[in-house]
């Protein structure tokens, strides 16, 4: 299980502080990857385990479209064409959602943004630097298969072959440089993970890295606080978990529970 260790020198300097009088900064995590790479699937698991507020730029834009506003109609056409929505619009929707959720969120999980270097630069200026940037790497053929299957039941206007091809082209032209942007600026916050394996296997790598800065999240209970904790708990394989009494599900580290 190979991944780059994330060091603690970058603190995700965001104005969205903790509540109840605490001034602990709330981590921001970006989950990036091509269309159909599994961003939403991994975000569900992070929210479940860490109490982050999940903000999908695509979902926020689609919600605006469903309202039938002038901006929503403009965004709908751009999305059908597989083009990027102006960064100012997307960022304002994200900032609004972050402000509305800051009283209860332990951190912010943003997927599908930034999709271009100018978006990353503007987020850095207007909001702050992410604590972690997860890139889900997945071959085009696999993503295409997933999107077509999803399109059978999703009802999404952009889950069709013509739009999928446009989205792939936009992703490679605009979004891939974002990874290089963060690697150059703050390489220790970047985690590349293959999203081809089953979702739970992919998540193990992501979970392990988030656990390295778990104590930065308000009211966190970490593995070392668990009464059953031993050094072997640092390895989530079946053999190392065999002696665990199975109480990890009561903590926010249940990736480490035994399969039994």
């Amino acid at each position: 299980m190979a991944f780059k260790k994330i060091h603690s020198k970058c603190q995700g300097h965001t104005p969205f502080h903790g509540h109840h009088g605490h001034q602990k900064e709330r981590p921001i995590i970006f989950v990036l990857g091509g269309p159909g790479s599994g961003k939403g699937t991994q975000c569900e698991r992070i929210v479940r385990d860490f109490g982050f507020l999940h903000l999908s730029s695509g979902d926020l834009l689609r919600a605006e479209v469903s309202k039938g506003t002038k901006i929503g109609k403009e965004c709908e056409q751009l999305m059908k064409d597989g083009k990027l929505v102006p960064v100012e619009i997307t960022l304002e929707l994200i900032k609004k959602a972050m402000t509305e959720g800051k009283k209860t969120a332990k951190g912010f999980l943003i997927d599908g943004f930034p999709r271009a270097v100018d978006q990353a630069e503007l987020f850095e200026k207007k909001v702050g630097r992410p604590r972690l940037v997860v890139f889900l790497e997945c071959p085009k053929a696999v993503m295409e298969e997933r999107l077509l299957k999803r399109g059978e039941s999703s009802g999404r206007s952009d889950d069709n072959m013509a739009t999928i091809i446009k989205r792939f082209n936009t992703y490679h032209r605009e979004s891939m440089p974002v990874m290089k942007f963060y690697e150059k600026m703050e390489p220790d916050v970047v985690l590349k993970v293959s999203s081809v394996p089953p979702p739970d296997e992919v998540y193990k790598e992501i979970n392990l890295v988030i656990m390295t800065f778990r104590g930065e999240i308000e009211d966190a209970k970490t593995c070392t606080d668990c009464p059953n904790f031993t050094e072997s708990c640092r390895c989530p394989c079946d053999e190392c978990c065999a002696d665990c009494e199975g109480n990890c599900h009561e903590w926010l580290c249940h990736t480490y529970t035994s399969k039994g």
Side-chain angles (χ1 to χ4, degrees):
M1 185 181 296
F3 60 88
K4 179 181 288 187
K5 184 177 180 180
I6 306 298
H7 299 288
S8 60
K9 67 177 181 178
C10 176
Q11 298 299 317
H13 45 81
T14 166
F16 296 91
H17 296 292
H19 55 291
H20 304 311
H22 294 273
Q23 292 300 307
K24 181 171 289 188
E25 294 178 345
R26 300 183 179 191
I28 296 174
I29 297 177
F30 288 151
V31 179
L32 306 176
S37 60
K39 297 184 294 293
T41 300
Q42 294 306 315
C43 286
E44 289 175 0
R45 287 161 169 75
I46 296 172
V47 170
R48 176 194 68 193
D49 291 353
F50 297 100
F52 277 45
L53 175 63
H54 177 206
L55 301 174
S56 165
S57 61
D59 288 347
L60 292 172
L61 289 169
R62 281 185 285 274
E64 195 68 20
V65 169
S66 67
K67 295 176 183 177
T69 64
K70 181 180 179 180
I71 292 179
K73 292 178 181 178
E74 293 176 359
C75 291
E76 182 177 26
Q77 187 57 51
L78 288 170
M79 292 165 71
K80 285 182 178 179
D81 292 338
K83 298 179 180 180
L84 297 179
V85 172
V87 59
E88 293 80 8
I89 294 176
T90 307
L91 185 57
E92 282 305 311
L93 292 175
I94 291 174
K95 286 177 62 179
K96 179 182 178 182
M98 290 176 73
T99 300
E100 292 174 348
K102 67 180 181 180
K103 291 184 178 180
T104 57
K106 297 184 182 298
F108 299 99
L109 180 64
I110 303 174
D111 86 67
F113 185 94
R115 296 192 178 190
V117 172
D118 65 323
Q119 295 183 356
E121 293 173 336
L122 190 60
F123 190 94
E124 183 92 3
K125 179 180 178 180
K126 298 289 187 179
V127 181
R129 183 168 300 178
R131 183 62 179 76
L132 175 66
V133 180
V134 178
F135 280 93
L136 298 177
E137 299 181 312
C138 192
K140 181 179 177 181
V142 175
M143 292 190 288
E144 181 179 300
E145 181 181 355
R146 290 175 178 176
L147 290 172
L148 290 175
K149 184 176 181 179
R150 185 177 72 182
E152 296 174 359
S153 58
S154 70
R156 284 177 50 169
S157 60
D158 55 351
D159 279 345
N160 61 79
M161 182 55 74
T163 303
I164 287 172
I165 293 175
K166 294 178 182 178
R167 291 169 67 193
F168 281 147
N169 292 336
T170 299
Y171 171 71
H172 284 286
R173 182 179 65 252
E174 302 284 352
S175 300
M176 287 299 289
V178 174
M179 178 174 63
K180 296 180 181 179
F181 170 80
Y182 281 113
E183 285 184 318
K184 182 178 179 180
M185 180 180 67
E186 195 77 52
D188 289 335
V189 307
V190 176
L191 172 68
K192 297 179 183 179
V193 184
S194 170
S195 62
V196 176
D200 286 340
E201 289 186 25
V202 177
Y203 180 61
K204 282 184 179 180
E205 293 196 41
I206 299 173
N207 178 281
L208 284 171
V209 172
I210 297 178
M211 289 299 295
T212 66
F213 60 88
R214 186 70 182 90
E216 298 173 19
I217 304 171
E218 187 178 355
D219 300 326
K221 287 183 177 180
T222 67
C223 287
T224 54
D225 297 317
C226 178
N228 298 315
F229 178 80
T230 65
E231 285 301 312
S232 66
C233 291
R234 298 187 186 280
C235 176
C237 70
D238 290 345
E239 182 178 353
C240 291
C241 289
D243 295 330
C244 178
E245 296 179 7
N247 293 325
C248 291
H249 68 278
E250 298 174 4
W251 302 76
L252 296 180
C253 61
H254 62 72
T255 293
Y256 303 99
T257 57
S258 62
K259 303 305 181 192

